[in-house]
Amino acid sequence: SNAYEKGGRIALPCVTESSCLESVKIAIDTGYRHIDGAFVYYNEHEVGQAIREKIAEGRIKREDIFYCGKLWNTCHPPELVRPTLEKTLKILQLDYVDLYIIELPMAFKPGEAIYPKDENGKIIYHETDLCATWEAMEACKDAGLAKSIGVSNFNRRQLEMILNKPGLKYKPVSNQVECHPYFTQPKLLEFCRQHDIVIVGYSPLGTSRDETWVNVSSPPLLKDPVLNAIGKKYNKTAAQVALRFSIQRGVVVIPKSFNPQRIRENFQIFDFSLTEKEMKEIEALNKNVRYVELLM
Ligand code: A2P
């Protein structure tokens, strides 16, 4: 789920308590192992419960799961990083996360408010040094609370700031950014490839088109004629073609669904492959327009 804000409104996940728990359990039963979470999705307790129930059932072991947690913008000051991760671990009731990432490269004023605002409704930013935040992330890895550390929504310049930091101990292993056939990120992908940074693509299906945080003036990805025509050839849906396209170019995908049938559908992408010509055709769909503009 996503809690990004657009136009001054906060988009909270509109799901019932049980559907997140159920969805994660169905996903694990289906074969998913990478779970993308965050404190600001307000459902880490359910995700943790689903993982723990599946471990208790004997279906999986903890080490089979790859859980990604995220450091929110109000927690960038270095002294807040470890306590924030510890809070996430307490909610999850797990001993470690597999990946902990800085969710966004900008800091908000620390405090209870997730989106701190002044009297004019403007976000209150906070001066922190991303490199100091990164050093606190490195300490979390050293303490065994996070197996790996990475970033999200970082551009090349921000990545370079970390990579060129004097005394860098660990490079970011991944950068989670919007990535799909309408926003293919060719330059960032190439830069990250050169630096062994895995791109994790969010909104790989073109988002839920929730107007409170999505730029809906960009057309719906899954209605795209090319994706649908290619899907027909393989007896696959546009969603499956979009996901296959991403994994085939080395982009990790984190599709979101609360629907059991679609959760299963999105996993059925390992029994076909797209030709080079089809990959090029899909690459040509790039519009260079984000669905998630992150206007804050
Ligand atoms: P639902 O939860 O009802 O399945 P993204 O992963 O790009 O953020 O997209 C998530 C959105 O796509 C959700 O609205 C989800 O709705 C929908 N969705 C997920 N899987 C599919 C699919 N296979 N076909 C169509 N829509 C899907």
Side-chain angles (χ1 to χ4, degrees):
S1 187
N2 246 310
Y4 291 134
E5 140 168 308
K6 183 171 176 177
R9 282 183 62 193
I10 294 169
L12 291 176
C14 49
V15 294
T16 60
E17 278 283 294
S18 66
S19 70
C20 172
L21 174 66
E22 278 312 309
S23 297
V24 177
K25 289 202 287 189
I26 292 166
I28 292 173
D29 286 345
T30 303
Y32 290 82
R33 294 296 178 260
H34 176 180
I35 301 174
D36 184 71
F39 173 76
V40 291
Y41 300 165
Y42 304 107
N43 55 14
E44 278 188 316
H45 57 293
E46 288 181 74
V47 177
Q49 189 184 336
I51 295 171
R52 283 180 285 105
E53 280 184 25
K54 287 294 156 190
I55 293 172
E57 269 177 30
R59 186 172 273 275
I60 48 161
K61 299 196 190 77
R62 169 65 186 90
E63 58 267 32
D64 297 329
I65 290 292
F66 186 89
Y67 183 82
C68 169
K70 303 192 186 86
L71 181 79
W72 181 242
N73 308 4
T74 52
C75 310
H76 279 204
E79 67 278 11
L80 296 183
V81 174
R82 180 170 174 161
T84 304
L85 173 52
E86 283 170 338
K87 191 164 147 195
T88 268
L89 291 172
K90 200 167 163 201
I91 296 170
L92 290 166
Q93 294 182 45
L94 297 177
D95 301 328
Y96 65 88
V97 293
D98 299 273
L99 175 64
Y100 200 50
I101 63 181
I102 301 178
E103 189 156 355
L104 284 150
M106 78 286 255
F108 294 170
K109 188 187 85 162
E112 284 307 305
I114 294 292
Y115 293 94
K117 289 189 177 154
D118 65 17
E119 59 282 6
N120 300 315
K122 286 239 158 79
I123 293 272
I124 308 171
Y125 293 94
H126 190 68
E127 288 239 349
T128 45
D129 176 359
L130 262 185
C131 287
T133 307
W134 185 253
E135 285 169 8
M137 297 285 284
E138 291 178 327
C140 289
K141 176 171 158 63
D142 281 335
L145 302 179
K147 296 279 184 207
S148 293
I149 49 176
V151 297
S152 182
N153 295 302
F154 274 43
N155 62 25
R156 177 188 174 140
R157 198 164 46 83
Q158 290 150 347
L159 287 170
E160 277 174 338
M161 210 167 78
I162 305 288
L163 294 173
N164 297 332
K165 186 187 86 66
L168 180 73
K169 195 162 182 190
Y170 304 117
K171 277 182 7 181
V173 298
S174 60
N175 184 20
Q176 184 181 130
V177 293
E178 178 172 342
C179 196
H180 49 72
Y182 282 177
F183 194 66
T184 53
Q185 301 261 31
K187 286 197 282 184
L188 189 63
L189 198 59
E190 184 49 32
F191 177 80
C192 286
R193 263 195 204 122
Q194 282 165 6
H195 292 271
D196 264 337
I197 297 170
V198 174
I199 290 272
V200 179
Y202 68 70
S203 307
L205 301 172
T207 80
S208 55
R209 301 188 66 81
D210 175 339
E211 286 186 36
T212 58
W213 57 276
V214 174
N215 169 18
V216 289
S217 65
S218 193
L221 178 68
L222 300 184
K223 294 252 158 68
D224 186 90
V226 172
L227 295 180
N228 281 283
I230 293 175
K232 244 195 190 126
K233 174 178 160 193
Y234 295 104
N235 202 15
K236 295 285 176 186
T237 63
Q240 290 168 319
V241 173
L243 296 175
R244 180 71 208 183
F245 165 75
S246 286
I247 60 163
Q248 224 171 290
R249 62 202 289 264
V251 173
V252 173
V253 287
I254 43 173
K256 177 184 70 178
S257 179
F258 290 108
N259 175 291
Q261 196 188 322
R262 288 192 284 276
I263 290 172
R264 293 187 192 105
E265 176 185 323
N266 296 340
F267 203 73
Q268 302 307 314
I269 58 170
F270 303 104
D271 56 356
F272 77 115
S273 57
L274 300 165
T275 64
E276 224 167 279
K277 182 165 165 274
E278 288 161 345
M279 289 296 288
K280 289 229 159 64
E281 260 181 277
I282 301 174
E283 256 163 46
L285 299 176
N286 185 24
K287 295 179 192 295
N288 245 336
V289 176
R290 293 169 195 274
Y291 284 117
V292 187
E293 295 176 303
L294 298 170
L295 293 183
M296 76 287 205

